[in-house]
Amino acid sequence: MRKIYLTIILAMGLMVTSCDYLLDIEPEYTQDAENFFDTPEDYERALVGVYDLLQTSYLHIWIGEIASDNSIAGGESVNDSRGLHEIDNMTHGGVNTELRDIMRWNYAGIARANYIFEHKDKIDFEGKDQILAEAKFLRAYYHFVLTTYFGDVPLVVDRRLSLSEVSASERTPRVQVYAQIEQDLNEAINVLPDQQAETGRITKGAAIALLGKVQLYQNKFGDAAQTLDRIISQNAAGYDLFPDFSTLFYVVNENNSEDVFTIQYSGQQGGDYGCFVCLQGNPAVGFHGVRQYNGPLYGDGNSYNLPTQDLYDYFDGNDPRREATLLDIDAFIAAQPNSGDISYAVGAGGHTGYYNNKYIKRLDERGLPDDDLTSPLNYRVIRYADVLLMAAEAFQQSGNDDRARTELNKVRQRVGMPAINSSGTQLLQDIYRERRLELSGEGYRFFDLVRTGRAADVIQGFVPGKHELFPIPQVEIDLAGGNWQQNPNY
C-alpha cells in the first residue's frame, strides 16, 4: 500500500513562496488553467497540493498545548519563538509570527482547493468525484482551523481571490463559516469510501468524525451524538482502540485501527529553518526533544512545549498514560544502568523536568539530514479515542448518560482504569477530565477549555471576552485596507 506524502506538490510549482500576502500563493513559473487540468493526473497533482498544507500541523500541537495549562513554551530563550512565549503568558497581540502562519497557511490550503473547484468541469473522468470530495474535506478542515482560532473570517468558496478582492472582503460571521464547513463535509461524506487504497487519503470516517467535532464545537450536542454514533455503531472502517497505549505514538505503530484522520510525514527534509512550510518531516518531534541530550532511546532536540507539573500531578499514579504522555527526564535517567554517563541541558526558555513523550525524537525514528526537522512520526488529528470521548460528551449533554458512560469507559478500559459510574454534571466533569488524561500533548487542551467555558478557571492570565479567540494578524488587517476589525480587546 503506497503512502501519500504531502510535498509531491513541489514538482508542480504550487508551493507558497510569497509570505507577504495572505492569499498571494502563485509563485513564478506556476502552470495556469490554460495548460493545466487537461488530464486526470493534473487533478490528482492539484489535490496533493491541497493536502500539502496539512504539514503545518506542528503549530496546532504547540499552540493548543502552550496556550493551556498543559505546557510552557520552553526553548533556548524567551526570544526563541517569542510568539509562543507570548501565547504562553497570554500577552499575545496582533504581531505574532505563529498566529500569522496559521492564517496564511490555512488560507493557502483553501486557495489550492478552490483552484480545483474553479476548473472542476473542464474535463470528465472516472474518479473525479472522489478528488472533489477530498478537496471539500480539506477546505472544510482549513476553514475549521481558521474559525476556531480567529472567529469570523472571510469565507472563500470555489474561487481564489485576487489581492484587490482580499482588500475588499469582509469577515464572514462564524455561523456562516460553520454552515459552509458542514455543507462541504456532508457532500464529502456522500462520496468518500470507508477505506482508501493509499494510506493517508481522507476517508468517509474521517469526514464523519470531523463533522461531529464541528457540531460539538457549536454545542449542537444532539447532532454531534448522532453523527459520531455513525462511526461507533456502523464502523465500516473497523476502527478500534490500539491495545498498547505505551507504544501507540511510535512510528512502528502508525496507521493502525485507531487512526481516523492522520497527517502523514515522510522523514525527508524538503525545507529548512527558513521555510517550515516546505518540510516533509514533522518538526514538532525534534523541537520537543531533550536539549543536548546524550543517552539511550531519545535523540537531542530543542526543548519546546514542555509539560507542566500540574499536568503530571493530574494523572493518578497508576494510570499508564502518564508515563506514555510525559517523559520525566530525571526519573528516566536515574532508572538507567549507566545513569552517570547520561547528560542533558536546560534551555533558558523554561524547564519543567518533563517532555512531550507522544511527539518526541527517538533514536531509531530519526529522519535525514537534519533530524530536528525530519521526523517521520505522523500527527493524529482525530483518533478513535477522541471520537469516543466526543461522543460521550455529546450523549451526556443531550441527556443520554448511559450511552455517555459506555463510550467513556471504553477509553478507560483500554488502559486498565476503573469504570466511571457517575451521572449528570459529575459525569460531564469526568468526561472533561478524561479528555485531558487521554489527549494531553496532542494540541486539543486550549480549545477544549475555551469551548466548554473553563479556560478562565485554569489558564493563568486568561481574560474572558478576549482570549477565547486569537487576534487577527495586524499585517492582514492592514492589507485588507481596514475592512477587518480586530477581535475584541486586542
Side-chain angles (χ1 to χ4, degrees):
M1 185 177 291
R2 186 165 60 90
K3 194 177 190 181
I4 257 187
Y5 291 124
L6 303 180
T7 49
I8 300 171
I9 198 60
L10 285 168
M12 67 179 284
L14 290 178
M15 276 303 303
V16 178
T17 60
S18 174
C19 293
D20 295 328
Y21 301 100
L22 179 62
L23 298 181
D24 182 17
I25 67 162
E26 293 185 85
E28 195 174 5
Y29 313 123
T30 296
Q31 291 179 284
D32 59 33
E34 295 302 318
N35 55 19
F36 200 65
F37 295 112
D38 290 331
T39 67
E41 290 74 23
D42 287 343
Y43 284 84
E44 189 73 29
R45 292 165 67 197
L47 177 64
V48 175
V50 188
Y51 273 97
D52 185 58
L53 271 297
L54 291 176
Q55 67 187 339
T56 62
S57 64
Y58 68 91
L59 286 173
H60 308 316
I61 304 176
W62 289 350
I63 294 173
E65 297 295 307
I66 290 168
S68 78
D69 53 344
N70 272 1
S71 68
I72 67 170
E76 182 178 3
S77 71
V78 295
N79 293 316
D80 182 20
S81 297
R82 177 182 290 274
L84 295 177
H85 285 273
E86 292 170 351
I87 292 170
D88 186 4
N89 295 322
M90 290 287 122
T91 59
H92 50 279
V95 180
N96 185 291
T97 298
E98 286 73 24
L99 294 176
R100 191 185 180 205
D101 285 344
I102 289 286
M103 178 162 279
R104 289 181 301 158
W105 292 344
N106 282 279
Y107 267 118
I110 292 167
R112 293 182 183 185
N114 287 343
Y115 191 44
I116 296 175
F117 289 112
E118 282 184 25
H119 306 287
K120 63 184 177 65
D121 297 323
K122 190 173 182 183
I123 63 171
D124 288 320
F125 58 92
E126 184 178 357
K128 187 175 74 169
D129 59 341
Q130 184 170 310
I131 288 176
L132 297 178
E134 291 178 53
K136 285 179 181 179
F137 173 95
L138 293 167
R139 182 171 66 184
Y141 175 70
Y142 294 133
H143 273 128
F144 178 60
V145 171
L146 287 165
T147 195
T148 300
Y149 275 79
F150 303 112
D152 299 345
V153 292
L155 181 61
V156 185
V157 179
D158 289 350
R159 64 191 181 95
R160 293 163 295 162
L161 293 182
S162 68
L163 290 177
S164 60
E165 288 177 300
V166 171
S167 299
S169 297
E170 295 183 357
R171 295 171 65 187
T172 305
R174 198 176 198 178
V175 65
Q176 295 179 30
V177 179
Y178 274 131
Q180 180 62 48
I181 292 169
E182 291 192 29
Q183 178 180 326
D184 274 346
L185 290 175
N186 278 310
E187 291 176 359
I189 289 167
N190 290 334
V191 174
L192 290 169
D194 292 311
Q195 296 179 328
Q196 291 270 22
E198 295 174 299
T199 303
R201 297 189 77 144
I202 299 302
T203 63
K204 184 187 295 289
I208 295 172
L210 182 58
L211 176 60
K213 184 172 185 175
V214 168
Q215 291 166 335
L216 192 68
Y217 271 55
Q218 298 174 81
N219 294 333
K220 294 181 176 180
F221 299 118
D223 290 344
Q226 185 177 21
T227 297
L228 294 165
D229 187 48
R230 293 177 61 182
I231 301 177
I232 299 167
S233 297
Q234 300 173 18
N235 203 2
Y239 297 119
D240 200 1
L241 296 174
F242 186 74
D244 183 8
F245 191 91
S246 68
T247 62
L248 174 59
F249 288 86
Y250 283 40
V251 169
V252 69
N253 290 325
E254 289 182 336
N255 299 310
N256 61 55
S257 62
E258 189 159 343
D259 290 350
V260 178
F261 171 25
T262 300
I263 296 172
Q264 308 287 314
Y265 287 97
S266 72
Q268 300 175 32
Q269 189 153 333
D272 54 30
Y273 286 91
C275 187
F276 277 12
V277 75
C278 305
L279 295 174
Q280 299 179 45
N282 185 348
V285 175
F287 276 71
H288 290 170
V290 186
R291 184 171 293 273
Q292 296 178 26
Y293 175 79
N294 182 19
L297 187 60
Y298 298 102
D300 72 311
N302 297 311
S303 64
Y304 273 56
N305 194 12
L306 303 175
T308 61
Q309 185 70 48
D310 179 80
L311 177 57
Y312 183 87
D313 294 341
Y314 198 77
F315 286 87
D316 293 332
N318 63 339
D319 191 333
R321 291 173 296 189
R322 183 171 71 177
E323 184 174 346
T325 300
L326 300 98
L327 167 63
D328 181 339
I329 186 61
D330 291 331
F332 173 79
I333 292 174
Q336 304 307 308
N338 61 331
S339 59
D341 298 329
I342 301 172
S343 61
Y344 72 96
V346 173
H351 180 65
T352 65
Y354 304 108
Y355 296 81
N356 186 332
N357 211 17
K358 290 180 175 177
Y359 293 101
I360 194 169
K361 188 197 299 183
R362 298 181 177 89
L363 289 175
D364 61 350
E365 296 180 347
R366 293 175 295 174
L368 294 172
D370 186 338
D371 60 21
D372 277 349
L373 305 176
T374 56
S375 170
L377 188 61
N378 294 340
Y379 175 50
R380 292 177 165 101
V381 184
I382 302 177
R383 53 189 178 92
Y384 192 54
D386 188 15
V387 170
L388 295 175
L389 291 174
M390 287 191 294
E393 182 181 342
F395 279 117
Q396 197 288 321
Q397 290 275 36
S398 54
N400 191 341
D401 280 6
D402 287 343
R403 185 64 188 279
R405 281 190 295 268
T406 295
E407 306 312 330
L408 168 63
N409 286 324
K410 288 177 184 177
V411 177
R412 292 180 63 79
Q413 183 180 18
R414 189 256 295 268
V415 290
M417 298 302 289
I420 295 292
N421 297 310
S422 56
S423 299
T425 301
Q426 183 57 54
L427 175 57
L428 182 61
Q429 296 304 315
D430 289 338
I431 294 168
Y432 290 160
R433 175 177 174 81
E434 198 68 22
R435 284 192 65 81
R436 190 182 189 195
L437 295 171
E438 177 71 23
L439 302 170
S440 288
E442 301 178 46
Y444 302 97
R445 175 65 173 171
F446 175 76
F447 304 105
D448 275 351
L449 290 172
V450 167
R451 69 178 179 81
T452 57
R454 296 174 292 142
D457 296 332
V458 298
I459 300 176
Q460 187 174 0
F462 186 96
V463 177
K466 176 180 180 180
H467 288 131
E468 290 86 355
L469 297 174
F470 290 100
I472 300 292
Q474 185 59 47
V475 65
E476 310 303 352
I477 293 176
D478 294 341
L479 288 169
N483 287 323
W484 298 358
Q485 296 298 312
Q486 183 56 276
N487 280 331
N489 299 314
Y490 282 103

